[in-house]
Amino acid sequence: GINAEYGEPYNPETIFNDPEEVPYTCKLSTKTSHDLKAAVLGIVADKKLQHVYVNCRPWISQDNQKEITKDIEFRILDFELNLLRVICEGKAETPSDRFFLMHLSNSESYIVSGDEKGFVHIYDKHYKIHICKLQGHSNVVNCAAISPTNHQFMCSVSDDHLIKFWDFSMQPEAQ
């Protein structure tokens, strides 16, 4: 690989035991921290670094941060971490001590996510709205991924042990 800071090759098998030996460092700006007051199920940022999209279950109260509600919220924040919109996605099936993580994926126009009831949700990034939910699984959808090059194609994977491929360019069959 290439060392990004110095532009020279490095040996990926080298283990740095001493922090002084690490060839690069990352600094966290405390200005960009934000308490979501929720258990985060999934998060993704858009490629233009304009928005952060978060699936979460809010805490029941500030005093009890171990108990979370059954409400699933899809939150849209800007990169200043101002809350722009909250879309209530539905109700969780699981108790506070056993919630599922759900990967979010995004393309130029859409964000996709799964839920505990076997649905895949699609959100429009421009209008910041929930546009549809797809039924195709019989258990928790842990991950849904939209193609980065063709937003008409996506896949989802579930605890029902299935991976589904979705092609939105195909017309539904006539009944």
Side-chain angles (χ1 to χ4, degrees):
I2 299 290
N3 179 322
E5 186 173 329
Y6 302 107
E8 57 192 43
Y10 73 96
N11 180 351
E13 294 177 337
T14 302
I15 298 174
F16 299 103
N17 294 320
D18 180 359
E20 298 297 317
E21 293 180 26
V22 178
Y24 54 89
T25 59
C26 295
K27 293 181 182 174
L28 174 67
S29 167
T30 55
K31 207 163 97 175
T32 57
S33 296
H34 179 72
D35 186 350
L36 293 169
K37 298 174 179 42
V40 174
L41 309 175
I43 185 167
V44 69
D46 66 14
K47 290 180 184 177
K48 295 178 182 175
L49 300 179
Q50 294 175 331
H51 297 101
V52 177
Y53 305 90
V54 182
N55 263 349
C56 60
R57 286 177 59 183
W59 297 327
I60 288 177
S61 74
Q62 292 293 356
D63 302 329
N64 185 357
Q65 296 177 5
K66 292 183 180 178
E67 293 285 323
I68 54 178
T69 68
K70 290 202 175 250
D71 297 326
I72 297 176
E73 295 180 354
F74 179 74
R75 297 182 187 179
I76 304 170
L77 297 96
D78 63 19
F79 259 77
E80 302 294 317
L81 296 178
N82 298 306
L83 184 62
L84 300 178
R85 185 158 190 158
V86 175
I87 300 170
C88 292
E89 189 174 282
K91 297 285 185 187
E93 300 285 318
T94 55
S96 290
D97 63 346
R98 206 181 138 246
F99 62 88
F100 292 95
L101 298 178
M102 293 168 194
H103 174 77
L104 289 131
S105 175
N106 74 76
S107 71
E108 200 67 30
S109 304
Y110 304 104
I111 302 286
V112 296
S113 173
D115 75 12
E116 292 183 17
K117 296 180 182 177
F119 291 99
V120 175
H121 297 268
I122 303 176
Y123 302 89
D124 184 288
K125 288 170 70 172
H126 176 73
Y127 293 106
K128 298 175 181 54
I129 59 171
H130 182 257
I131 56 175
C132 73
K133 72 179 181 182
L134 307 169
Q135 186 171 11
H137 291 283
S138 62
N139 209 324
V140 176
V141 176
N142 304 102
C143 182
I146 195 159
S147 168
T149 57
N150 179 357
H151 65 262
Q152 301 257 337
F153 183 77
M154 63 171 267
C155 60
S156 57
V157 65
S158 166
D159 282 355
D160 62 10
H161 310 287
L162 297 174
I163 184 168
K164 300 267 183 164
F165 294 92
W166 306 82
D167 184 348
F168 302 112
S169 66
M170 297 177 63
Q171 296 296 318
E173 293 179 17
Q175 299 283 339

